[in-house]
Amino acid sequence: MELNIEKLQTLLGIMINELGAAQNAALVIIGEELDLYRKMAGRGPVSSAELADATDTKERYVREWLSAQAASGFVDYEAATGKFRLSPEQAAVFAVDDSPVNMTGGFQALDAVYADRAKLTHAFRHGGGVSWTDRCSCMFCGTDRFFRPGYKANLVGNWLPSLDGVVEKLERGARAADVGCGFGSSTLMMATAFPKSQFTGIDFHAHSIEHASGHAGGMSNVRFETARAQDFEGAGFDLVTMFDALHDMGDPVGAVSHIAKALKPDGTLMLVEPMAGDSLADNLPVGRIFYAASANTCVPASLGQEVGAALGAQAGQAKLTEVLKAGGFSKVRRATGTAFNMVLEARL
């Protein structure tokens, strides 16, 4: 076998970068858990000893951690002083919980990917799926942490206003269901913004509903229930929302069909899904993270349920529209979007 040396060197360079990224993923999680990033944010350059003292950790570990972070570009290194600092941009990504670009949740979810690798390998070889209920618990925390900043930045101020007449209904007092709500972050954001409306968060994962209920803090206009998307109770909803959930479902058409029956005739379904084109070629190379997450999480989740449609995280608007229309919706449009999400409005 004759090798093209130039192509080989390019590939090896990519692989070195990939291995470095994979090794550093664990260090990001450690930095998050030990408050290393947060203690660096908003202050001047720090030495490894100063950061270790501030976080009650061991200096030799912190020194090597800081070196790895600097090599990755996650922190800045000052050669003249031998100290490290977190720039405002780096802090926004790693240290500021409310930042719309905080990415630490994505690293937390990776814990579950590696913890469940044997289950995924078995599914690859023998078929079937890896249900959401069978995943390592850090998958739930990481998923909520990853998506929450984007929802906080866009949901109330951008996504809901892009829907025809929905904000006006919510301000007057409406009934809304958030299907596939997970830990309930999206549900609670809407309930806080629209106190005259009633919100029901629905998810089939009982532990997530427990967690969501615990965060409701006695709010009178929100409740959470454990139920499946294709047969939850209730009808006469003005609004149903689904955030990054439909593509994970085994029977998305069944879920959409049930939602169509649960809505008022003039009701709205707001579907938030990962941004994607309609073909693999359209999604290269920017779909890299979505395809990887889909192979590790979304497709196995769907294949672990009845029907097992396995839409995948890069289903695209055309396929999603096909599902929505098969479920009973006649009008579908892209209302708005971000670099990471598309927002579809569906009406009966």
Side-chain angles (χ1 to χ4, degrees), residues 162-185:
S162 74
L163 307 176
D164 185 22
V166 166
V167 167
E168 290 79 5
K169 289 181 181 179
L170 292 172
E171 288 175 339
R172 290 195 303 267
R175 292 187 65 224
D178 187 12
V179 178
C181 68
F183 277 16
S185 291

Side-chain angles (χ1 to χ4, degrees), residues 1 10 33-34 36 44 48 73 95 104 117 142 146 174 178 207 229 242 246 248 260 272 281-282 298 305:
M1 179 175 62
T10 299
E33 290 179 347
L34 297 178
L36 296 172
S48 57
T104 54
R117 184 193 54 76
F146 179 72
D178 187 12
H207 173 72
M242 298 181 79
L246 183 68
D248 290 320
V272 179
D282 291 336
C298 308
Q305 303 169 52

Side-chain angles (χ1 to χ4, degrees), residues 66-306:
L66 283 166
S67 298
Q69 300 302 288
S72 295
F74 296 167
V75 306
D76 292 334
Y77 174 61
E78 297 182 353
T81 64
K83 292 190 174 185
F84 304 82
R85 67 183 297 272
L86 206 64
S87 71
E89 295 76 22
Q90 291 160 342
V93 172
F94 293 106
V96 181
D97 290 337
D98 291 338
S99 165
V101 293
N102 187 297
M103 300 289 283
T104 54
F107 289 91
Q108 287 178 315
L110 285 174
D111 254 358
V113 171
Y114 283 97
D116 295 334
R117 184 193 54 76
K119 297 176 185 176
L120 291 168
T121 301
H122 184 274
F124 267 70
R125 180 168 287 122
H126 301 288
V130 183
S131 172
W132 195 248
T133 57
D134 294 330
R135 300 308 298 253
C136 175
S137 61
C138 48
M139 176 65 76
F140 317 129
C141 301
T143 298
D144 178 71
R145 182 73 184 277
F146 179 72
F147 285 112
R148 189 169 67 238
Y151 297 164
K152 186 169 184 178
N154 294 288
L155 173 52
V156 173
N158 180 20
W159 294 347
L160 288 172
S162 74
L163 307 176
D164 185 22
V166 166
V167 167
E168 290 79 5
K169 289 181 181 179
L170 292 172
E171 288 175 339
R172 290 195 303 267
R175 292 187 65 224
D178 187 12
V179 178
C181 68
F183 277 16
S185 291
S186 51
T187 322
L188 294 171
M189 288 176 196
M190 293 187 289
T192 300
F194 301 101
K196 292 183 180 179
S197 290
Q198 294 292 320
F199 295 86
T200 302
I202 298 164
D203 201 284
F204 83 121
H205 186 237
H207 173 72
S208 291
I209 289 299
E210 252 180 70
H211 192 99
S213 299
H215 280 272
M219 293 176 66
S220 60
N221 69 326
V222 63
R223 67 184 184 88
F224 293 95
E225 63 180 49
T226 304
R228 302 190 314 163
Q230 57 266 49
D231 53 19
F232 62 86
E233 294 183 356
F237 291 104
D238 298 283
L239 172 69
V240 173
T241 58
M242 298 181 79
F243 296 90
D244 293 290
L246 183 68
H247 67 269
D248 290 320
M249 295 180 180
D251 184 12
V253 173
V256 169
S257 298
H258 185 68
I259 289 169
K261 295 171 186 173
L263 278 168
K264 289 181 178 177
D266 65 343
T268 300
L269 168 61
M270 180 173 78
L271 181 65
V272 179
E273 283 283 307
M275 182 61 73
D278 293 320
S279 72
L280 174 59
D282 291 336
N283 298 326
L284 297 178
V286 293
R288 179 179 178 230
I289 186 173
F290 288 122
Y291 280 120
S294 188
N296 284 322
T297 305
C298 308
V299 166
S302 179
L303 292 175
Q305 303 169 52
E306 62 186 59

